[in-house]
């Protein structure tokens, strides 16, 4: 756990949950602690620490474990879940684009609540929708059940029977996606403001299944990569390959079980209207086999051919592409060429780099040692046979690239950049808070005046209360905050790619 990651998590907690939660989270960053230990080290009251822990537990940002043989629990921070808060807008946008406005409303409410029952969540979502009729309630209920069936919502293991539920889900994970009993009449009563003593799904809590979203984001990265390198038909072909893979393999395995060609063709014929793809399916699979991404490997020739999707290898290639792009932006195309030469040769001497990369000697040395200084390259020394000294003339100096080390370094840069971006955005917002509030008040007043049918001259007089210098400052602040937010989204996408690489390196086949 790095300092940059700790700073980023700290500023995210402060931005979304306040100072007390940030203080407790920052203290837990050093390691697991008990409630008593947190009260002592944070100098907060027991009540404040308990409330902060309750918030962190509700949003799955902290886990607890009862110490064996003792009557207290130790709390541990989940850093990966804190980072996911930056990805919440992306989850909502995905729902909006793929499953509609109602699904986006439900996901947004559940992300905001952290953990909630279906009845309460649906009633809250209907309140935020434009229509509040009975059909709207039924539509939200059906969409909620649809999202459970699609595994976007997952049962939370909390409450009185949490131990029993945890035990039963270990043997049968499908219990986490069992549809709850939701009474429409209870929802309608809640919409009218009447009290419902005990809804039928009381005690059944739900939260967002981040893993399912990540699976779709991962698949989108792969399909987009193939579309850029080859064409749309090849991307569509790979999408059917993935669908076939999920029928026989866990979605997160580094490589799939063999997929028969007949099954891929069947998927294409049933789901695709692309006649060109169906006609030249064998050729597109052959292109995917030969592609440098190494996304596909032939397992055998049985039944027209069996193929394996290689998730681990493809993310290794994509990580290298990301590293090369970073080097190209920072040091130019020649530096990227040097990295490719080192990658190809695995271990190479300085003199051979300039020959293979076809770069002048002086420039090649400068770029090589610049990459070494920035930790994109590493050196390995081998003593010459029969030499007793340790000087440069007594050993070979070989250059190599350690992908795991470079990816870790790039992730640290992403953490630092995200922290700087969020801090700057918060600073701009706080310094110009008066102007921003004034502008928002004016907009709401003007909106109300337009609804009442006030004259344009009167509306213009109201708008002129914001002076031209103030408008100019406000416009600059808005542009800067918007560009910082766009950079935050781009950094999160890069971070997701690097996290996928790390996940498949750790995962055992």
């Amino acid at each position: 756990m790095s300092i940059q990651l700790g700073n980023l998590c700290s500023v995210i907690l402060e931005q979304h949950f306040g100072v007390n939660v940030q203080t407790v989270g920052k203290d837990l960053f050093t390691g697991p602690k008990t409630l008593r230990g947190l009260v002592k080290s944070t100098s907060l009251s027991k009540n404040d620490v308990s409330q902060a822990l309750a918030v962190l537990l509700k949003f799955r940002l902290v886990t607890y474990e009862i110490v064996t043989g003792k009557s207290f629990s130790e709390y541990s921070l989940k850093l990966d879940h804190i980072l996911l808060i930056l990805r919440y807008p992306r989850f909502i946008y995905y729902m909006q684009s793929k499953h509609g406005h109602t699904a986006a409303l439900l996901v947004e409410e559940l992300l905001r609540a952290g953990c909630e029952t279906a009845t309460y969540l649906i009633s809250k979502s209907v309140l935020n929708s434009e229509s509040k009729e009975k059909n709207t309630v039924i539509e939200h209920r059906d969409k909620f059940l649809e999202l459970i069936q699609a595994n976007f919502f997952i049962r939370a293991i909390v409450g009185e029977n949490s131990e029993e539920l945890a035990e039963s889900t270990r043997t049968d994970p499908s219990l986490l996606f069992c549809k709850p009993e939701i009474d429409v009449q209870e929802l309608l009563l809640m919409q009218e403001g009447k009290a419902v003593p005990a809804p039928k799904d009381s005690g059944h809590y739900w939260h967002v299944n981040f893993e399912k979203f990540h699976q779709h984001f991962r698949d989108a990265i792969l399909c987009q990569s193939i579309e850029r390198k080859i064409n749309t038909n090849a991307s569509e072909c790979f999408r059917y390959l993935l669908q076939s893979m999920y029928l026989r393999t866990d979605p997160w395995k580094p490589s799939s079980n063999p997929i028969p060609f007949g099954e891929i063709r069947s998927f294409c014929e049933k789901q695709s209207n692309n006649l060109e793809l169906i006609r030249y399916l064998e050729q597109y699979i052959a292109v995917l086999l030969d592609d440098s991404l190494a996304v596909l490997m032939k397992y055998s020739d049985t039944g027209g051919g069996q193929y394996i999707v290689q998730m681990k290898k493809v993310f290794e290639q994509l990580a290298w592409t990301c590293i090369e792009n970073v080097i190209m932006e920072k040091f130019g195309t020649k530096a990227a060429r040097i990295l490719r030469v080192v990658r190809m040769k695995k271990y190479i001497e300085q003199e051979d780099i300039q020959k293979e990369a076809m770069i002048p000697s002086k420039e090649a040395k400068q770029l090589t040692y610049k990459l070494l200084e920035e930790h994109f390259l590493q050196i390995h020394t081998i003593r010459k046979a029969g030499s007793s000294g340790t000087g440069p003339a007594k050993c070979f100096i070989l250059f190599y690239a350690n992908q795991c080390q470079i990816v870790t370094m790039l992730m640290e840069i992403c953490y630092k950049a995200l922290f700087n971006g969020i801090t700057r955005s918060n600073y701009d917002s706080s310094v110009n808070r008066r102007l921003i509030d004034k502008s928002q008040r004016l907009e709401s007043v003007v909106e109300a005046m337009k609804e009442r049918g006030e004259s344009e001259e009167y509306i213009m007089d109201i708008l002129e209360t914001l002076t031209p210098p103030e408008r100019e400052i406000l416009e600059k602040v808005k542009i800067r905050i918007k560009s910082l937010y766009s950079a935050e989204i781009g950094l999160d996408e890069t971070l997701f790619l690097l996290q996928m690489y790390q996940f498949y390196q750790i995962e055992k086949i």
Side-chain angles (χ1 to χ4, degrees), residues 157-166:
I157 303 175
V158 294
E160 296 176 0
N161 302 320
S162 59
E163 290 183 9
E164 288 180 29
L165 182 61

Side-chain angles (χ1 to χ4, degrees), residues 57-60 106 108-125 144 148 153-156 158 180 190 199 201-208:
L57 284 165
K58 189 177 182 183
F59 283 86
R60 293 183 289 162
L106 288 165
E108 185 178 359
E109 281 302 323
L110 192 50
L111 287 171
R112 193 176 289 156
C115 178
E116 199 50 79
T117 61
T119 301
Y120 178 84
L121 185 74
I122 293 167
S123 64
K124 188 81 174 171
S125 177
F144 185 89
I148 292 173
F153 291 163
I154 188 170
R155 179 85 178 271
V158 294
M190 290 175 78
D201 69 332
S202 180
H204 291 209
Y205 291 88
W206 299 87
H207 51 64
V208 174

Side-chain angles (χ1 to χ4, degrees), residues 3 14 29 78 158 212 265 292 356-357 375 387 399-400:
I3 295 170
E14 184 186 11
F29 184 75
K78 294 183 75 174
V158 294
K212 188 67 177 178
R265 179 173 286 282
S292 59
E356 294 288 341
H375 306 292
S387 63
F399 289 86
Y400 70 99

Side-chain angles (χ1 to χ4, degrees), residues 29 35 124 158 184 202 236 264 306 317 391 460:
F29 184 75
L35 176 60
K124 188 81 174 171
V158 294
V184 175
S202 180
E236 188 180 348
I264 303 165
Q306 291 188 326
Q317 295 299 322
M460 289 304 295

Side-chain angles (χ1 to χ4, degrees), residues 10-18 22 86 422 425-426 488:
S10 179
V11 77
I12 291 170
L13 290 175
E14 184 186 11
Q15 188 179 35
H16 291 86
F17 303 107
Q22 180 211 19
L86 299 174
I422 293 167
S425 181
N426 291 344
E488 188 181 307

Side-chain angles (χ1 to χ4, degrees), residues 113-326:
C115 178
E116 199 50 79
T117 61
T119 301
Y120 178 84
L121 185 74
I122 293 167
S123 64
K124 188 81 174 171
S125 177
V126 172
L127 276 172
N128 292 334
S129 63
E130 295 173 0
S131 173
K132 296 174 179 61
E133 298 175 359
K134 183 177 179 181
N135 289 340
T136 308
V137 173
I138 294 169
E139 182 191 350
H140 279 68
R141 194 256 335 244
D142 293 345
K143 185 61 74 173
F144 185 89
L145 296 174
E146 184 185 314
L147 291 174
I148 292 173
Q149 188 176 359
N151 294 4
F152 285 106
F153 291 163
I154 188 170
R155 179 85 178 271
I157 303 175
V158 294
E160 296 176 0
N161 302 320
S162 59
E163 290 183 9
E164 288 180 29
L165 182 61
E167 189 62 37
S168 55
T169 52
R170 281 193 202 100
T171 54
D172 186 9
S174 62
L175 293 173
L176 291 168
F177 303 101
C178 281
K179 294 179 182 179
E181 189 177 352
I182 304 169
D183 193 334
V184 175
Q185 294 303 319
E186 288 178 349
L187 289 169
L188 291 170
L189 288 171
M190 290 175 78
Q191 290 305 114
E192 293 168 7
K194 297 177 182 177
V196 178
K200 289 184 178 179
D201 69 332
S202 180
H204 291 209
Y205 291 88
W206 299 87
H207 51 64
V208 174
N209 185 11
F210 300 128
E211 196 175 276
K212 188 67 177 178
F213 279 98
H214 287 165
Q215 182 187 325
H216 284 280
F217 293 163
R218 180 203 64 187
D219 294 352
I221 286 173
L222 298 177
C223 291
Q224 286 166 12
S225 301
I226 291 168
E227 187 173 345
R228 287 195 193 104
K229 284 202 76 178
I230 307 170
N231 62 15
T232 311
N233 289 344
S235 174
E236 188 180 348
C237 173
F238 185 69
R239 194 163 64 248
Y240 295 129
L241 268 163
L242 288 174
Q243 289 179 22
S244 187
M245 167 187 161
Y246 297 147
L247 296 176
R248 62 190 69 247
T249 312
D250 184 281
W252 294 102
K253 285 290 182 185
S255 58
S256 70
N257 292 326
I259 304 165
F261 175 77
E263 192 173 300
I264 303 165
R265 179 173 286 282
S266 175
F267 265 105
C268 291
E269 289 172 351
K270 286 178 183 176
Q271 298 185 31
S272 179
N273 296 322
N274 191 338
L275 297 176
E276 187 182 353
L277 172 61
I278 296 167
R279 185 179 176 185
Y280 297 108
L281 182 62
E282 287 185 42
Q283 286 84 346
Y284 278 114
I285 288 176
V287 170
L288 288 173
L289 282 169
D290 295 336
D291 190 69
S292 59
L293 269 178
V295 71
L296 211 60
M297 181 184 81
K298 194 163 189 178
Y299 180 75
S300 73
D301 295 317
T302 310
Q306 291 188 326
Y307 304 93
I308 291 174
V309 177
Q310 303 183 105
M311 289 291 183
K312 183 177 178 179
K313 285 193 176 181
V314 74
F315 274 100
E316 284 176 3
Q317 295 299 322
L318 289 172
W320 276 124
T321 304
C322 178
I323 292 164
E324 285 178 15
N325 287 337
V326 170

